[in-house]
Amino acid sequence: MTQRTSMRTLLRKGLAALCALACAAGVAACGSSGDEDGDVIKVGIKFDQPGLGFKKSGTYEGFDVDVARYIANQLGYTDSQIVFKEAPSKQREAMLQNGDVDMILASYSITDERKKAVDFAGPYFVAGQDLMVRANDDSIKGPQDLNGKRLCSVTGSTSAKVVKEKFAKEVQLMEQPGYAECATALLSGIVDAVTTDDIILAGLASASRGKLKVVGKPFTEEYYGVGIKKDADSKEFATKINAAIEEMEKTGEWERAIENATEGTGYRPNPKYNPPKPDEGE
């Protein structure tokens, strides 16, 4: 063996050892199976919405999560190939446009304004704005009963403003950074009601162990879609996602996912709109 050959052999062995060490430490670049993102699907969800998208001790649960898993499985990905990423409301369009995620299921309502920036598949659920009150409070049966009451919603949300402008001009509005904080304010008596989409409220009520309830009189319609990147392949991708959603509805998995997400609340999605026909983006 020549000195040059010996040196090349040592270099190869040294590089292999370094790569093995790096891979053991979790460095994906040493993989030999090709593109590091090629074997996974990246999904944006909420991390702080009980019943929809909630991160708990390193695991993810909620209706959005269950729908995302079902879609990914139908697309050929196993659960271990799904990478969940937090998708705050203000960052959703940018995350899709930048390729940070492949799709977003995060109480993401389909609107004409959003469709200028991204494409959608679905809808997979039609929510409605509703109210959550204390379980022993029967005085509030709808938004018209909120005059003189204190109503909580999240900072930046338009939900509470809708109530004030259309139903109860004398309602007192209070904002909190998140719906969990609104639920805490409701439990402690600081506010009399919380407003947002009914399925979000149902998730919060489920987590309250019977102390809170959803009024059950939705007064808007919000079509939840699967956000995808607007590009040449979006129509084909949307068609595949829609087929998966339709299959989930037919098999009963969609209904079971709703029941699991809102257990103990008696919540039922509005049958006039649910389950919806997924035909967006085709």
Side-chain angles (χ1 to χ4, degrees), residues 2 22 36 70 127 228:
T2 66
E36 63 184 272
Y70 194 95
I228 58 178

Side-chain angles (χ1 to χ4, degrees), residues 84-110:
F84 287 112
K85 295 191 173 186
E86 186 172 17
S89 295
K90 293 182 179 180
Q91 299 177 23
R92 290 178 297 201
E93 285 81 18
M95 290 179 73
L96 288 168
Q97 292 169 336
N98 296 336
D100 298 327
V101 291
D102 299 299
M103 58 183 186
I104 288 180
L105 291 89
S107 54
Y108 201 8
S109 297
I110 301 170

Side-chain angles (χ1 to χ4, degrees), residues 140-162:
I140 300 174
K141 296 179 171 61
Q144 68 280 356
D145 297 325
L146 290 170
N147 279 312
K149 304 282 188 177
R150 294 160 297 180
L151 177 65
C152 187
S153 191
V154 168
T155 304
S157 170
T158 60
S159 300
K161 293 177 183 178
V162 168

